[in-house]
Amino acid sequence: MVERIGILVVSYGSRAAAMVDAFSRSQEYEAELYVADKQRNPFNLKMAKEHVVIPSLDSKEIFKFAKRHKEDLDFGIVGPEKPIIAGVRDLIEDELGIPMICPTKRYAIEGSKVAQRLLFEEVAPEVNPRFRVFDPKDYRSLEDVKRDLYKWLDELGNMVAVKPDAPAAGKGVGVWGDHFRSREELLDHFMANFEAGPVIVEEKLEGEESSFQALCDGKHLVPLPDTRDYKRAFDGDHGPNTGGMGSYKDRGDTLPFMNEVDREKEKQIVERIFTKLRGDGYNPELRGIPFYEAFIHTAKGPMILENNSRPGDPEIQNILPILKDDFIEVCLRMVEGTLTSVEVERKATVVTYKVPPNYGGYADTFPDKVKKGEVGTPVVLTEAENLKAKYGDDIRIYPGSMELRNGETYALSSRTVCVVGVAETIEDARNISLEGIRAIKGGALWYRTDIASREHIEQSIRHMENLRKKNL
Ligand code: GLY
């Protein structure tokens, strides 16, 4: 007899649809899903035993939903960072005793970029870019802060990234050459962040980015294969930063522009951070994906850009469809503190997102490309779903910022829907993903056409080779 397991899924976007999919495919358990969602996600609605919409993802509302189903729930899992940082695990575990898969508030180190930099400085200073923290508490006048800031810019030759302490505070992360090209523009960006709290100004690094995610049960760290995220809105890595327009994973654990040494270094660095936070024994407060590190591979090796305390979106969609282990079993082992390894199929995966006209400033930048007659029309997934007859499990369609309304589905403001292609090579996985994306109709949606393209990957390989040569 298959055992019934009740699971609370806190959902924002396609990442949670991928989790819901992984749970529903369990062979060992019958998943009964209770989904607290940002919107009426059509996939989650279909799969859930009970589905509630909490647009704010407010922890207290999520807690109330969990309380109503206390007797049905064996564990919960959280996708988005907001409730993790707000302490949703602490609330639900302390009050209801339902084990949660995400770090506690104390270990959600994503909540403070300053705390992250200070932690890395202690544990792995060699992979920390040079940085300075500007804290409003330390300054009495704008003149004082401007003097110190400009002195620091002199030292770094203006090549800096400006980052608010709290995620998405002020204007968010800004980089010299992209978001500002003069000190005046930089100061504008800096002040918008400084008004919201402490700001880090750190050296801008040149290199190629990788996303490193690891599952953690509080005792063991289980690294997942590296993935590459495409943050910029437009083809050729132009335009503003987004949540991620797509991502790829190669067959093995590394990426085409990395080598085994880079991967080993990444693992060692994250292991050092983990050991520092865990101490000698067992720290279940770290359960979940407390370390999703954005690395940048430079001439000198990997450096750390940031630490997130949750699965990456779209990066976790590259992994879950090819997890060989039963995802419910993996979660139960995380709760028990017995997760020592997971197996992932030796396959390539490519994720491409389709997004609405205003996302990433597309409609303003390319007004002529927007299919005006389609703006606001229903988004139709039927043709893409029909591709399952051709590709089976090698195509997955995960709705994200999409809403079921009167029997039809509509795009909301964020990333609408992603298609995952699975194959033996990146090229084949990409073709499946793109075929699925092209089969999604309506809503004037658009997408990046160069996610995991041969040209883009070859360019990143050449870039890395040139950087390494410079360092010889
Ligand atoms: N892919 C970026 C993120 O999940 O934050």
Side-chain angles (χ1 to χ4, degrees):
M1 245 233 346
V2 178
E3 192 184 336
R4 188 210 73 93
I5 293 276
I7 307 169
L8 168 70
V9 181
V10 180
S11 160
Y12 180 27
S14 302
R15 169 180 46 199
M19 290 178 185
V20 164
D21 187 32
F23 288 136
S24 314
R25 287 166 185 266
S26 173
Q27 300 290 315
E28 295 170 43
Y29 301 91
E30 188 198 332
E32 206 169 72
L33 301 171
Y34 295 82
V35 181
D37 217 329
K38 191 164 169 69
Q39 65 257 328
R40 300 189 78 231
N41 181 308
F43 184 80
N44 295 346
L45 269 164
K46 195 168 66 194
M47 309 304 277
K49 164 126 198 232
E50 190 156 338
H51 184 276
V52 68
V53 175
I54 303 175
S56 63
L57 291 174
D58 179 70
S59 300
K60 291 195 190 76
E61 294 301 313
I62 298 168
F63 168 79
K64 281 190 213 156
F65 179 59
K67 192 171 175 188
R68 279 207 301 279
H69 296 288
K70 182 174 173 328
E71 300 311 321
D72 305 311
L73 291 170
D74 292 284
F75 68 86
I77 189 163
V78 187
E81 62 273 22
K82 186 181 160 203
I84 301 178
I85 294 167
V88 73
R89 169 168 164 189
D90 312 51
L91 202 56
I92 293 180
E93 274 190 2
D94 295 352
E95 300 285 326
L96 306 176
I98 300 163
M100 295 296 287
I101 297 180
C102 68
T104 58
K105 186 178 167 74
R106 178 164 180 214
Y107 289 95
I109 62 172
E110 176 165 6
S112 165
K113 285 204 167 59
V114 172
Q116 289 172 35
R117 282 275 167 255
L118 296 176
L119 173 69
F120 304 151
E121 201 56 17
E122 208 183 325
V123 181
E126 73 285 8
V127 296
N128 219 9
R130 287 192 288 163
F131 73 100
R132 260 201 72 171
V133 179
F134 294 83
D135 191 330
K137 287 205 293 296
D138 299 335
Y139 291 97
R140 271 199 241 141
S141 74
L142 175 61
E143 278 317 302
D144 287 349
V145 68
K146 195 171 156 188
R147 188 195 56 237
D148 278 6
L149 173 66
Y150 281 21
K151 205 164 140 228
W152 184 232
L153 293 177
D154 286 342
E155 275 187 52
L156 295 181
N158 290 334
M159 292 294 128
V160 296
V162 174
K163 299 181 171 178
D165 179 41
K171 280 192 181 177
V173 175
V175 178
W176 182 274
D178 293 335
H179 303 92
F180 30 76
R181 289 169 194 275
S182 68
R183 285 198 173 184
E184 289 65 36
E185 283 173 6
L186 184 152
L187 186 64
D188 267 358
H189 195 108
F190 174 92
M191 286 313 297
N193 289 345
F194 194 67
E195 275 155 19
V199 181
I200 301 174
V201 179
E202 65 186 34
E203 105 188 87
K204 174 185 169 182
L205 299 168
E206 191 191 345
E208 292 291 326
E209 289 183 33
S210 64
S211 299
F212 178 101
Q213 304 173 91
L215 297 170
C216 183
D217 64 1
K219 253 188 225 155
H220 315 97
L221 194 70
V222 179
L224 298 169
D226 270 274
T227 54
R228 167 66 178 240
D229 183 18
Y230 284 69
K231 289 211 174 61
R232 296 306 197 85
F234 310 137
D235 282 4
D237 292 325
H238 298 297
N241 275 340
T242 67
M245 297 296 291
S247 53
Y248 72 82
K249 173 200 166 293
D250 206 347
R251 289 190 78 212
D253 288 350
T254 65
L255 295 167
F257 54 83
M258 289 170 62
N259 55 39
E260 289 300 329
V261 176
D262 298 326
R263 168 81 181 167
E264 264 321 297
K265 278 193 193 152
E266 286 186 345
K267 284 195 328 207
Q268 282 168 14
I269 293 159
V270 182
E271 191 71 45
R272 264 148 68 190
I273 301 168
F274 171 52
T275 308
K276 166 80 191 166
L277 295 182
R278 181 198 58 185
D280 286 337
Y282 178 28
N283 185 351
E285 293 196 51
L286 286 163
R287 184 190 306 138
I289 303 196
F291 309 116
Y292 145 31
E293 309 291 345
F295 280 107
I296 182 160
H297 295 264
T298 70
K300 293 193 205 123
M303 306 279 283
I304 286 195
L305 288 177
E306 63 186 30
N307 182 106
N308 299 296
S309 308
R310 43 138 185 123
D313 182 348
E315 293 100 316
I316 205 67
Q317 291 97 295
N318 287 102
I319 313 281
L320 290 177
I322 53 166
L323 200 61
K324 277 195 196 167
D325 300 74
D326 187 299
F327 190 44
I328 294 186
E329 186 63 34
V330 168
C331 290
L332 291 173
R333 282 197 269 139
M334 270 197 275
V335 169
E336 284 167 9
T338 56
L339 187 75
T340 50
S341 65
V342 293
E343 275 197 70
V344 175
E345 281 181 68
R346 219 180 136 67
K347 293 259 174 91
T349 57
V350 173
V351 182
T352 313
Y353 258 114
K354 218 162 181 184
V355 301
N358 285 330
Y359 190 74
Y362 183 79
D364 287 340
T365 314
F366 305 108
D368 297 341
K369 288 198 190 171
V370 176
K371 293 183 189 157
K372 304 265 174 342
E374 274 191 13
V375 176
T377 59
V379 175
V380 182
L381 302 182
T382 323
E383 262 186 59
E385 296 285 355
N386 289 343
L387 289 171
K388 288 182 181 163
K390 183 169 164 193
Y391 293 116
D393 283 346
D394 289 345
I395 188 165
R396 311 285 176 105
I397 299 143
Y398 295 135
S401 180
M402 194 173 178
E403 175 176 80
L404 183 67
R405 231 184 280 153
N406 306 323
E408 294 190 298
T409 48
Y410 293 87
L412 298 175
S413 59
S414 193
R415 293 171 292 175
T416 313
V417 52
C418 75
V419 180
V420 189
V422 180
E424 296 299 323
T425 63
I426 295 177
E427 196 172 344
D428 289 348
R430 173 171 186 261
N431 287 337
I432 296 172
S433 172
L434 284 177
E435 195 176 334
I437 282 290
R438 285 192 289 262
I440 294 171
K441 305 294 183 201
L445 304 184
W446 62 279
Y447 59 98
R448 255 184 89 157
T449 63
D450 64 345
I451 307 291
S453 70
R454 182 181 300 208
E455 296 70 29
H456 195 283
I457 291 175
E458 278 173 1
Q459 203 183 345
S460 62
I461 295 171
R462 275 197 307 278
H463 186 203
M464 246 5 272
E465 282 170 358
N466 289 336
L467 285 175
R468 289 189 212 272
K469 264 189 227 145
K470 265 200 243 166
N471 197 38
L472 285 179

